[in-house]
Amino acid sequence: QKEVEQDPGPLSVPEGAIVSLNCTYSNSAFQYFMWYRQYSRKGPELLMYTYSSGNKEDGRFTAQVDKSSKYISLFIRDSQPSDSATYLCAMREAAGNKLTFGGGTRVLVKP
Amino acid sequence: GAVVSQHPSRVICKSGTSVKIECRSLDFQATTMFWYRQFPKKSLMLMATSNEGSKATYEQGVEKDKFLINHASLTLSTLTVTSAHPEDSSFYICSAQRGLGEQFFGPGTRLTVL
């Protein structure tokens, strides 16, 4: 079993819909949680960075962390075709700096 | 977010030659930089962690003599692929850590070895 599980998709939604992404993990020592967006042939772009449990909102993006369930989510409101990309969750322990990534979910927002 | 650049963005070389890739943090100082490799439709694979002024720490299975890493300053790390072969063809991405927090990634370098 992988340390971080993420559904590879593809997840196809109509423009304007809410995109819901999630990751589960097994390492209870993970304290920092990130979501990255990666377009084809580009480097990942940091979207959200959160510490421990709770919610964080930034524009159209909301990140949720539930440490008790070892489950994190990213919601994208009012999705646009430009949101079509691969979304990677990543996490790390408090003491280290090495990131553990999920496999990525490919999202397609159709006009 | 912070800006990390990589150069070159794309390189094609002959088998047996060496290729150097530069990674720069443009608007912050990064004591730690990371080098990743990504295969098509796969997630990122960490190759090594680079700390300014000290030797890089390589992940298991990554040949340190093949992938030379130098972190000469707080804003620059380089990866040199020595004696490149076709199996080294890949997408190489660096990241830089701001303080003890977020990691910001460069745009990546596509290496093709003929």
Side-chain angles (χ1 to χ4, degrees):
Chain A
Q1 186 183 4
K2 294 180 183 177
E3 217 171 355
V4 179
E5 298 277 359
Q6 187 176 5
D7 189 325
L11 176 63
S12 183
V13 301
E15 183 176 355
I18 295 175
V19 175
S20 176
L21 303 164
N22 58 76
C23 289
T24 59
Y25 62 95
S26 56
N27 184 354
S28 58
F30 287 141
Q31 295 281 350
Y32 293 89
F33 304 91
M34 288 132 269
W35 286 95
Y36 288 89
R37 176 174 64 194
Q38 186 176 25
Y39 293 111
S40 180
R41 299 173 183 263
K42 299 291 183 183
E45 173 192 2
L46 181 64
L47 295 175
M48 300 292 276
Y49 178 81
T50 55
Y51 171 71
S52 196
S53 284
N55 295 355
K56 183 176 181 179
E57 189 173 317
D58 184 0
R60 296 186 297 117
F61 300 96
T62 300
Q64 292 182 349
V65 175
D66 183 349
K67 289 191 66 184
S68 63
S69 301
K70 296 191 181 68
Y71 186 91
I72 68 170
S73 302
L74 177 71
F75 300 97
I76 308 173
R77 290 182 297 281
D78 188 24
S79 59
Q80 305 295 312
S82 57
D83 294 324
S84 298
T86 296
Y87 290 79
L88 297 157
C89 66
M91 44 200 81
R92 68 174 176 89
E93 298 180 11
N97 55 16
K98 188 186 298 188
L99 296 182
T100 301
F101 284 90
T105 299
R106 188 164 154 251
V107 171
L108 180 61
V109 180
K110 295 185 176 180
Chain B
V3 180
V4 176
S5 70
Q6 264 183 260
H7 179 78
S9 58
R10 188 180 186 112
V11 57
I12 301 172
C13 69
K14 292 182 179 179
S15 185
T17 60
S18 294
V19 174
K20 180 186 282 190
I21 303 169
E22 288 188 354
C23 176
R24 293 181 186 271
S25 57
L26 298 184
D27 53 0
F28 68 99
Q29 293 185 327
T31 53
T32 305
M33 288 184 167
F34 305 83
W35 287 95
Y36 295 83
R37 184 172 178 176
Q38 188 174 35
F39 295 99
K41 300 187 187 298
K42 298 290 185 183
S43 192
L44 291 85
M45 182 187 79
L46 180 65
M47 299 174 65
T49 301
S50 164
N51 289 295
E52 186 263 340
S54 63
K55 289 185 179 180
T57 302
Y58 290 81
E59 294 300 299
Q60 192 173 11
V62 178
E63 299 175 60
K64 61 180 180 181
D65 294 331
K66 176 130 186 96
F67 298 100
L68 299 179
I69 292 171
N70 183 273
H71 195 153
S73 76
L74 289 173
T75 58
L76 173 64
S77 176
T78 61
L79 168 69
T80 301
V81 183
T82 62
S83 187
H85 288 95
E87 58 266 29
D88 299 323
S89 298
S90 194
F91 193 51
Y92 292 88
I93 314 174
C94 72
S95 73
Q97 186 171 13
R98 184 165 64 185
L100 298 177
E102 310 100 311
Q103 279 190 35
F104 297 94
F105 284 83
T109 297
R110 184 158 304 280
L111 170 64
T112 302
V113 185
L114 302 176

